[in-house]
């Protein structure tokens, strides 16, 4: 690696251990086939994966549902395979808890966020009862994100332009971030979760202190219309993907402490699909995957100019709808695998694993490509984080413990139905509908409520008549004469 030190005077040549990383598609028998992947056009991945399970949002009649498949259960999935199907509207996002393998969060057009516990070995029958139902948004909920270092803290972003922070120990929203003026498109955390960055339909990129809701930095992206953003580990940099004024896809690199101008802007191509960015802090590699095309480009990122160095491109004729990403501790280190995608191919009903591999001749553990990485233990409790404590992730070595499962268990709090008040505002008070769908949903909900109240009233009428008869009988009985 000594050659690389002199690269400042020879910028045309870079020495990098990741220069020859290549993408390897799994054999057909190691794919997941026959899955009715959702046709929803919402710009999300509709897929979440961890070391034990793969979850995919599916097409379903009435309400929303998703499949949860144990990773070893590859091949064709039966049409009547059990689903998680408790939502009343389409599921828009799903995310696995980073510290508890069998806990998954979902959010939906029905305005709720739900927490589910998947049994050992996967589902044997349809699951309709969530561990927790979280009501606080007045419109559909498009995004959920778990806090990266704190257990049981979940963020949700709704079409009411609010981000709610949920403490799942109590099952309530504890903070509300209310600085956006349009739909929130993306959320990303820095390494210790002390900062949150968001992109929004109002064309602004924001860096927010999540506990206070204070906007620390804001960029008005006039020339680069931002779609997605990702924090680049501890580099104090952000990377956004978006569209230029000429409608070409581009990426921009920003200093998180000064969003007045991007450090660099780079045109990618003239295609129209969204660019999803993925960053691997361990290898400093950035992956750009186009929605609706089959390409995944990858780059190496450094703190000095030129910042971004193009490595290679993985190409496939099958377009991807979304991509799930395996956490580091679920990778095959014996094959020198540094990243793994799960690609949703809607036309074929197929989920295709793609492994990014560093070609090495040796079979022994490669310490230089697997530094200590965030593991499955949380660094903080919800109370500590909410109290203002920041702590870096608890790291693990992939050499010994990469198959160790977490000892943590999720305990759902016992909740009563009541109003949800955050920052002095009742989040569940009546909000007028904005779209025809919302109006219909509200209408049907009210019809159900009216039907229930009528039935209750009829029951009470019968009970009153019974009591009146009993009273009359008592009065007419011989004892009272």
């Amino acid at each position: 690696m000594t050659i690389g030190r002199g690269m400042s005077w020879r910028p045309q040549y870079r020495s990098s251990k990741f220069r020859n990383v290549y993408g390897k598609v799994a054999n057909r028998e190691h794919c997941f086939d026959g899955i009715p992947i959702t046709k929803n056009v919402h710009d999300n991945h509709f897929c979440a994966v961890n070391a034990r399970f793969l979850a995919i949002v599916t097409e379903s009649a009435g309400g929303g549902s998703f499949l949860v498949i144990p990773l070893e259960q590859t091949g064709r999935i039966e049409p009547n395979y059990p689903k998680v199907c408790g939502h009343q509207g389409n599921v828009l996002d799903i995310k696995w808890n980073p510290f508890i393998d069998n806990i998954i969060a979902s959010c939906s057009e029905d305005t709720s966020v739900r927490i589910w516990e998947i049994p050992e070995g996967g589902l044997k029958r349809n699951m309709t009862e969530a561990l927790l139902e979280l009501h606080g948004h007045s419109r559909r909920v498009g995004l959920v994100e778990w806090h990266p270092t704190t257990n049981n803290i979940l963020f949700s972003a709704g079409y009411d332009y609010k981000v709610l922070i949920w403490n799942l120990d109590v099952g309530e929203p504890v903070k509300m971030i209310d600085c956006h003026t349009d739909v929130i498109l993306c959320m990303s955390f820095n390494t210790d979760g002390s900062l949150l960055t968001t992109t929004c339909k109002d064309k602004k990129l924001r860096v927010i202190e999540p506990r206070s809701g204070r906007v620390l930095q804001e960029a008005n992206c006039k020339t680069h219309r931002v779609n997605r953003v990702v924090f680049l580990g501890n580099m104090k940099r952000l990377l956004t993907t978006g569209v230029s004024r000429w409608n070409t896809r581009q990426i921009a690199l920003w200093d998180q402490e000064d969003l007045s101008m991007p450090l660099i802007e780079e045109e990618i191509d003239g295609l129209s699909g969204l660019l999803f960015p993925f960053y691997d802090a361990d290898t400093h590699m950035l992956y750009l995957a186009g929605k609706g095309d089959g390409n995944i480009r990858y780059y190496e990122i450094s703190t000095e100019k030129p910042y971004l160095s193009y490595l290679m491109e993985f190409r496939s004729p099958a377009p991807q709808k979304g991509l799930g990403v395996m956490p580091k501790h679920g990778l095959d280190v014996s094959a020198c695998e540094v990243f793994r995608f799960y690609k949703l191919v809607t036309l074929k009903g197929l989920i295709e694993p793609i492994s990014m591999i560093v070609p090495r001749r040796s079979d022994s553990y490669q310490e230089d490509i697997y530094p200590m990485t965030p593991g499955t233990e949380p660094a903080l409790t919800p109370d500590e984080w909410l109290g203002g404590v920041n702590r870096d992730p608890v790291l693990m070595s992939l050499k010994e413990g990469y198959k160790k499962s977490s000892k943590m268990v999720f305990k759902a709090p016992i909740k009563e139905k009541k109003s949800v008040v955050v920052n002095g505002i009742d989040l569940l008070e009546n909000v007028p509908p904005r779209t025809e769908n919302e109006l219909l949903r509200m209408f049907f909900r009210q019809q159900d409520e009216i039907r229930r109240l009528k039935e209750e009233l009829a029951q009470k009428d019968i009970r009153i008549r019974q009591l009146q008869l009993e009273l009359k009988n008592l009065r007419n009985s011989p004892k009272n004469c």
Side-chain angles (χ1 to χ4, degrees):
M1 286 301 291
T2 47
I3 308 163
R5 289 181 189 157
M7 75 182 198
S8 54
W9 55 271
R10 281 177 66 187
Q12 73 274 20
Y13 175 72
R14 290 186 68 260
S15 171
S16 164
K17 62 186 106 164
F18 302 112
R19 200 174 57 222
N20 298 316
V21 167
Y22 65 95
K24 183 183 178 188
V25 180
N27 297 335
R28 192 66 188 236
E29 64 266 23
H30 293 123
C31 296
F32 300 82
D33 203 352
I35 293 169
I37 300 164
T38 179
K39 294 184 175 66
N40 197 312
V41 293
H42 189 69
D43 280 330
N44 264 354
H45 291 293
F46 299 112
C47 175
V49 65
N50 66 15
R52 285 171 64 194
F53 298 108
L54 169 69
I56 313 106
V57 179
T58 62
E59 271 297 292
S60 62
S65 61
F66 58 95
L67 287 171
V68 175
I69 306 165
L71 279 188
E72 62 277 6
Q73 201 177 321
T74 54
R76 192 153 192 85
I77 303 300
E78 293 303 312
N80 56 354
Y81 194 87
K83 296 180 173 75
V84 179
C85 50
H87 280 287
Q88 275 93 51
N90 287 327
V91 174
L92 297 179
D93 198 12
I94 45 176
K95 294 276 162 59
W96 289 105
N97 184 319
F99 310 115
I100 311 174
D101 273 349
N102 63 335
I103 298 291
I104 190 167
S106 63
C107 63
S108 160
E109 288 182 350
D110 67 9
T111 75
S112 74
V113 176
R114 299 185 192 208
I115 309 298
W116 310 86
E117 183 175 28
I118 307 302
E120 286 296 316
L123 299 177
K124 299 289 177 275
R125 63 185 68 84
N126 281 357
M127 181 180 271
T128 54
E129 288 297 309
L131 265 187
L132 263 182
E133 276 187 40
L134 307 173
H135 295 278
H137 288 284
S138 58
R139 307 206 179 287
R140 59 186 166 152
V141 189
L143 295 169
V144 281
E145 287 290 345
W146 294 91
H147 192 274
T149 61
T150 310
N151 189 37
N152 282 351
I153 290 283
L154 181 75
F155 285 59
S156 63
Y159 277 60
D160 51 7
Y161 313 157
K162 293 174 177 59
V163 176
L164 293 183
I165 306 176
W166 304 86
N167 178 356
L168 302 186
D169 280 359
V170 294
E172 297 289 343
V174 284
K175 303 273 177 191
M176 177 170 73
I177 299 170
D178 194 10
C179 58
H180 300 87
T181 60
D182 209 325
V183 176
I184 299 141
L185 302 171
C186 183
M187 298 190 282
S188 176
F189 291 99
N190 65 343
T191 308
D192 66 2
S194 59
L195 294 175
L196 172 73
T197 178
T198 63
T199 57
C200 180
K201 258 192 175 164
D202 63 12
K203 299 188 176 75
K204 287 184 180 174
L205 170 68
R206 294 172 174 89
V207 174
I208 300 162
E209 204 294 306
R211 283 166 291 213
S212 65
R214 208 156 48 89
V215 179
L216 305 177
Q217 288 287 325
E218 190 174 271
N220 244 327
C221 306
K222 290 191 175 73
T223 57
H224 167 78
R225 200 160 70 245
V226 287
N227 282 322
R228 291 289 179 272
V229 61
V230 63
F231 258 108
L232 301 181
N234 282 330
M235 283 187 178
K236 294 193 185 284
R237 300 269 195 272
L238 303 171
L239 185 121
T240 58
T241 67
V243 181
S244 73
R245 61 174 74 170
W246 296 283
N247 272 354
T248 55
R249 299 199 288 193
Q250 64 173 188
I251 55 175
L253 187 71
W254 308 77
D255 179 340
Q256 75 179 42
E257 285 162 3
D258 178 15
L259 298 185
S260 55
M261 280 285 288
L263 297 169
I264 53 166
E265 280 182 352
E266 195 168 305
E267 304 272 317
I268 302 297
D269 60 29
L271 298 177
S272 58
L274 187 77
L275 273 177
F276 292 119
F278 302 90
Y279 180 65
D280 179 3
D282 295 349
T283 59
H284 305 302
M285 281 175 72
L286 169 79
Y287 300 87
L288 293 179
K291 182 180 176 179
D293 59 68
N295 305 342
I296 302 173
R297 296 171 176 84
Y298 37 109
Y299 301 76
E300 202 167 3
I301 292 193
S302 59
T303 47
E304 285 142 27
K305 284 184 178 176
Y307 304 123
L308 220 74
S309 306
Y310 175 78
L311 293 171
M312 228 185 286
E313 182 174 3
F314 167 82
R315 290 187 173 206
S316 154
Q320 56 228 2
K321 184 184 180 73
L323 294 149
V325 171
M326 175 62 78
K328 266 280 150 82
H329 59 273
L331 297 179
D332 182 0
V333 297
S334 63
C336 295
E337 183 183 36
V338 287
F339 214 74
R340 190 191 305 159
F341 292 103
Y342 284 77
K343 170 177 166 174
L344 275 63
V345 187
T346 318
L347 299 172
K348 298 180 184 173
L350 186 70
I351 313 290
E352 199 174 55
I354 302 167
S355 299
M356 308 308 291
I357 290 169
V358 180
R360 293 274 167 105
R361 286 196 181 89
S362 168
D363 289 339
S364 61
Y365 178 72
Q366 306 290 305
E367 207 103 23
D368 61 327
I369 59 173
Y370 296 116
M372 295 284 278
T373 192
T376 54
E377 299 298 319
L380 294 164
T381 65
D383 290 343
E384 286 174 323
W385 184 76
L386 291 164
V389 182
N390 293 323
R391 211 170 279 154
D392 280 333
V394 178
L395 301 180
M396 73 192 290
S397 163
L398 297 186
K399 186 175 187 178
E400 311 296 339
Y402 72 99
K403 289 296 176 205
K404 269 196 312 201
S405 61
S406 168
K407 309 275 188 299
M408 300 206 64
V409 180
F410 184 84
K411 287 191 182 72
I414 295 155
K415 290 180 69 187
E416 296 168 26
K417 290 266 188 207
K418 58 176 193 283
S419 62
V420 179
V421 179
V422 180
N423 300 7
I425 299 164
D426 187 347
L427 300 176
L428 297 180
E429 66 187 350
N430 287 329
V431 179
R434 286 188 193 168
T435 65
E436 197 176 329
N437 267 353
E438 282 183 17
L439 188 65
L440 278 170
R441 207 155 41 242
M442 196 176 275
F443 170 74
F444 289 127
R445 208 179 292 150
Q446 285 174 348
Q447 290 294 307
D448 285 345
E449 183 72 0
I450 290 165
R451 201 176 300 118
R452 192 180 60 77
L453 289 170
K454 276 182 175 170
E455 280 169 13
E456 222 172 274
L457 212 56
Q459 292 294 326
K460 283 183 175 156
D461 275 348
I462 293 164
R463 186 78 185 117
I464 288 165
R465 277 204 293 279
Q466 284 172 340
L467 288 168
Q468 281 172 337
L469 277 170
E470 280 173 31
L471 201 60
K472 204 172 181 181
N473 289 343
L474 274 170
R475 281 193 188 131
N476 295 338
S477 68
K479 284 181 191 171
N480 295 339
C481 291

